[in-house]
Structures are given as C-alpha cells and as structure tokens.
Amino acid sequence: MALIVQKFGGTSVADTDKIKAVAERVMALSKQGHQMVVVLSAMSGETNRFVNMAQHMQSIPDPREMDVLLSSGEQVTVSLFAMAVKAAGFDAVSLLGDQVKIQTDIMHTKARIKSINADLIKEHLNSGKIVVVAGFQGVTESGDITTLGRGGSDTTAVALAAALEADQCEIFTDVEGVYTTDPNICANARKIDKITYDEMLELASLGAKVLDIRSVGLAKKYKVPIHVRSTFTDTEGTWVVEEDKTMESMLVSGVTYSKNEARITFAKVPDTPGIASRIFNPISDAGIVVDMIIQNTRAGDMTDMTFTVPRTDYETAMKVVEKTAKEIGAERVSGDPHIAKVSVVGVGMRNHSGIATTMFHILARENINIMMISTSEIKISCVINEKYTELAVRALHDAFELEKENIPIED
Ligand code: ASP
Ligand code: MG
C-alpha cells in the first residue's frame, strides 16, 4: 500500500464528464489498496474568467477580495469530484486550503506556503476516504484566504506530498511529459524519461510550461520525485528527480527558448565606480527583473552596458533608462524588443567541455548572429534575432541528437 498524491490540471477537469473520468482513475488505485490524495485545479478557463470579471469591478482589484474570488474555482472541482466518487460507492471528502491548514504568508495572489497540518488528511485517509484538496489556495494566520500565484496547484501537490511523506507525487496534465524541446517547433522532439530538478528549473524558467517553477524548487528542497504525465493516456511520463550518475552521461537534455526578451544598451557611459548601480537601481525599483548583463570597456574611460529585460516590461524599462542616461551622461541608449534567447540545458556539461563551441558552431553554420552569451554550470544561452528562433532550436536539437534515446557513455 502506498500513499499517492495526484494533481490534475484544469484541462483534466474541464467539465463534469472529465471529472468523472479522473475520479475513475483515482478509484482504480484506491481499489488496489493505495491511500489517495487528489489535488485539483479549477476547470480550464475559469481562473481567467474570474480575473476578467474582477477587472470589471475595480481597475486594480482588491487583493484580499481577489483571492476569495480566485479560490472559488477549485472549490467547484473538488466538491464535484467528491460527489463522483461517492456516486460510485467509494468514500471521499473535499477539503479547502483553510480546512487543511495550508498556512501561507499574507502576500495575496502570490502567497507562499509556510506550513501544512497533515493530521486531518491522515485521519480521513485512515478512515478509508479519498481526500480531495483544492489546489492553489491557502489561509493566513489570521484566517484570510490566499492564492499561490497562477499555476499554483502544482505547488499545493508537491507541498502536500512533502508534508505527508507520500510515496509518489504525480502531476497529470494535457501533455505526455517534458520534451527535449517544444514539439510545436521540432517534430522529432522526444519525451524525456528522467530529468534532474536543476535541469527542470532551467527548462521551466525558460518556457517549458509543463510544471510551475515554484513546485520544482519545493520538490528539490524536500526531495519529492515528481512524475509529470498525461491524464488522457496510461503512458509513463517524465520523472523529475535528484541527480544520479547515469544522468550526467547525457550531455544535453533539452533545447529551450524564450521570446519574452528585449535588449537595452547604454552606449558610452563614463567608466567609474557606481555606474552599474546607478543604471540598475531604478530598473529594479520599477519591479523589472534584468536577466543577462554585458559590460564592454571602450577606449577613453568609457564603457557600454547591454542587458536584457522581459519584453513585457520593455516600454516601462525604456522610460526608466532614458531618464538614467541623461543623469549619468551616457551618449545614447538604444533598445531592441525583437530578440529571443535560445538555451541548451544539461547536467552533463558540468564535466564535459565543447558544448558551448558546438552551439556557437551550429548557430554560425545557420548564419545566425549571436548578440549576447551567458552560461551557468548546466546551461548556455545565446541571444539572437527573434526571427531565427525556430531555425536555431531545430538546428541545435539535431546537432545534439536529442531525438535519440539517452545512450549512457562511461568515462
Ligand atoms: N487555477 C489556477 C490557475 O489557473 C491554479 C492552477 O491551475 O494551478 O492559475
Ligand atoms: Mg499548470
């Protein structure tokens, strides 16, 4: 007998028939003697609908009331699910975030979990019930309802798996798992069987939208293996796990890209102490996250500073930097919102050289100009003109032979 946490996303519970089908799936495991904890999202589209309605009421909706509204979608699916289970002759109980005591901080609409009381869930499990928990929601110490940020149900599932010391945590979605690259761009993208938390964090933050990034961080912290898989098939999905020796032999695990990028360059800034701070402080004060930064020294005590920001923040950022440019005496500030970031990710590159050179060679062969480069232990990213994104992704996927199964190489 195992304790299994299963989370089903919005497309898996999109209507009452789908909820019934998911309940069948859970009951089959319950029949085998497993203890089942189910976490559900709202029906797909619901949370967006709530956001739109709120905007009709208040241009910037009150955060506390927003959370009362947003959390209601999950209340619908968990109750319907429990009914479906009961109708089939099994016992179930639906629980909301405040009933479980998923305690969070007070940051409405993006709250973080502080603690979970697993006792009530365990009691219900021990009395033979399937426990259905509303994803995405929690409660503050003073009893206000909070939500965990969009996509937050994944985090609920991982947090529950950690608190309950579950044997398995499965995230069911509408794709079969995590792919070596975006299957919409590259027809021979392959489903990855096993990937490390760190690789997943890089892929998730770079745009592989299968798992919410915070849930991966949490899973890494508490060593919860996650199985991401499809609701609509029985096929094994992708396991997100701790690193082991065999995984290192795979040099590159995936190629990913992001088009939500824009470049800003300060040209001819006086090269004196404090210049970086004067450039980046106002940007961070505006709540904009800077990603890559490159500083080039010019002759005559001058320097250029180039960096990237999310494209969605580009206009705000340009207003901020034009002001700064005047203040610090920069000759010029320019920007380009039509760039993309293409990255190759893999824990294997920690111990193997040559991945970066291969990447540069492939982009050169395709005649794609690299504007910026950044590296981490397990990732190499290049900024290129947005219009070559698909070409670059395909060429890199081919060059690293990612369509082939992992062939372990001993060294
Ligand atoms: N229903 C929430 C959302 O759409 C949470 C989730 O589905 O994970 O963001
Ligand atoms: Mg999701």
Side-chain angles (χ1 to χ4, degrees):
M1 183 191 81
L3 197 166
I4 303 174
V5 175
Q6 293 193 326
K7 180 255 170 179
F8 294 89
T11 48
S12 309
V13 293
D15 54 44
T16 47
D17 284 337
K18 292 212 169 83
I19 294 177
K20 279 187 193 172
V22 168
E24 289 292 338
R25 194 168 183 145
V26 172
M27 285 186 284
L29 286 169
S30 179
K31 235 180 262 180
Q32 291 171 19
H34 301 302
Q35 293 192 314
M36 301 301 297
V37 176
V38 179
V39 176
L40 300 182
S41 288
M43 292 182 183
S44 58
E46 278 298 88
T47 315
N48 289 339
R49 196 168 68 88
F50 298 149
V51 172
N52 287 333
M53 285 196 287
Q55 274 154 1
H56 274 275
M57 296 299 155
Q58 226 182 343
S59 55
I60 301 171
D62 179 85
R64 182 190 179 279
E65 303 313 326
M66 191 67 176
D67 275 349
V68 175
L69 175 67
L70 290 183
S71 61
S72 65
E74 276 72 12
Q75 184 161 351
V76 172
T77 49
V78 290
S79 53
L80 291 173
F81 184 98
M83 289 177 201
V85 171
K86 289 180 189 195
F90 282 75
D91 204 3
V93 59
S94 65
L95 295 173
L96 302 181
D98 61 332
Q99 293 173 296
V100 180
K101 293 246 167 346
I102 299 182
Q103 199 143 71
T104 70
D105 61 18
I106 56 167
M107 296 300 289
H108 283 290
T109 73
K110 45 177 180 295
R112 299 185 74 100
I113 298 177
K114 283 165 63 179
S115 66
I116 289 184
N117 182 350
D119 294 348
L120 181 65
I121 295 183
K122 283 199 176 136
E123 253 170 59
H124 283 305
L125 288 174
N126 291 337
S127 66
K129 293 190 186 97
I130 293 173
V131 178
V132 200
V133 180
F136 175 53
Q137 54 180 259
V139 65
T140 64
E141 214 164 334
S142 58
D144 283 325
I145 294 174
T146 51
T147 61
L148 309 177
R150 299 305 305 272
S153 296
D154 293 348
T155 302
T156 306
V158 172
L160 282 175
L164 292 162
E165 296 177 1
D167 300 292
Q168 265 184 53
C169 179
E170 298 195 294
I171 307 274
F172 286 85
T173 178
D174 51 9
V175 293
E176 300 223 323
V178 181
Y179 282 75
T180 47
T181 195
D182 182 350
N184 297 316
I185 289 190
C186 195
N188 55 6
R190 182 177 51 83
K191 187 182 73 202
I192 301 173
D193 296 332
K194 211 160 88 168
I195 190 166
T196 67
Y197 296 123
D198 288 330
E199 288 169 321
M200 193 60 219
L201 283 169
E202 295 288 9
L203 291 173
S205 64
L206 294 165
K209 295 177 202 76
V210 213
L211 266 182
D212 184 44
I213 184 163
R214 286 161 312 156
S215 70
V216 183
L218 196 64
K220 180 183 172 189
K221 186 165 168 195
Y222 290 98
K223 300 190 170 51
V224 177
I226 306 178
H227 186 196
V228 194
R229 57 189 304 195
S230 164
T231 306
F232 309 109
T233 65
D234 280 326
T235 356
E236 279 273 305
T238 301
W239 283 91
V240 189
V241 294
E242 273 193 289
E243 190 173 333
D244 66 38
K245 266 276 157 244
T246 60
M247 300 168 92
E248 246 177 49
S249 60
M250 189 71 181
L251 299 186
V252 172
S253 304
V255 177
T256 181
Y257 67 94
S258 159
K259 290 189 179 179
N260 184 22
E261 308 284 337
R263 176 188 62 75
I264 295 176
T265 300
F266 278 81
K268 285 204 182 172
V269 183
D271 195 2
T272 51
I275 220 66
S277 149
R278 291 186 69 183
I279 289 179
F280 293 113
N281 269 349
I283 299 174
S284 101
D285 287 346
I288 297 170
V289 179
V290 170
D291 181 22
M292 292 188 196
I293 301 176
I294 291 177
Q295 183 180 348
N296 294 331
T297 309
R298 287 184 178 234
D301 293 338
M302 288 291 177
T303 186
D304 291 346
M305 190 81 84
T306 300
F307 53 93
T308 61
V309 294
R311 193 179 297 169
T312 37
D313 291 329
Y314 177 66
E315 274 163 35
T316 321
M318 279 309 274
K319 285 204 190 92
V320 174
V321 299
E322 271 155 14
K323 190 160 166 273
T324 310
K326 284 203 193 90
E327 286 167 14
I328 62 175
E331 187 182 280
R332 175 163 42 83
V333 58
S334 62
D336 180 0
H338 300 291
I339 59 163
K341 182 168 72 175
V342 179
S343 311
V344 299
V345 174
V347 287
M349 63 177 82
R350 248 190 231 130
N351 302 319
H352 291 83
S353 56
I355 308 291
T357 15
T358 307
M359 181 172 190
F360 303 154
H361 170 75
I362 297 302
L363 294 178
R365 193 193 64 197
E366 299 299 328
N367 233 344
I368 299 173
N369 187 39
I370 303 174
M371 301 175 192
M372 298 171 84
I373 300 167
S374 84
T375 63
S376 82
E377 260 200 316
I378 64 165
K379 180 186 75 175
I380 302 157
S381 302
C382 293
V383 167
I384 61 172
N385 187 321
E386 177 190 12
K387 67 181 178 208
Y388 300 125
T389 312
E390 286 77 8
L391 174 63
V393 168
R394 278 188 215 113
L396 291 166
H397 195 271
D398 278 352
F400 290 108
E401 301 190 323
L402 295 184
E403 74 286 359
K404 292 191 187 147
E405 281 298 321
N406 182 3
I407 306 153
I409 309 151
E410 303 290 337
D411 79 350

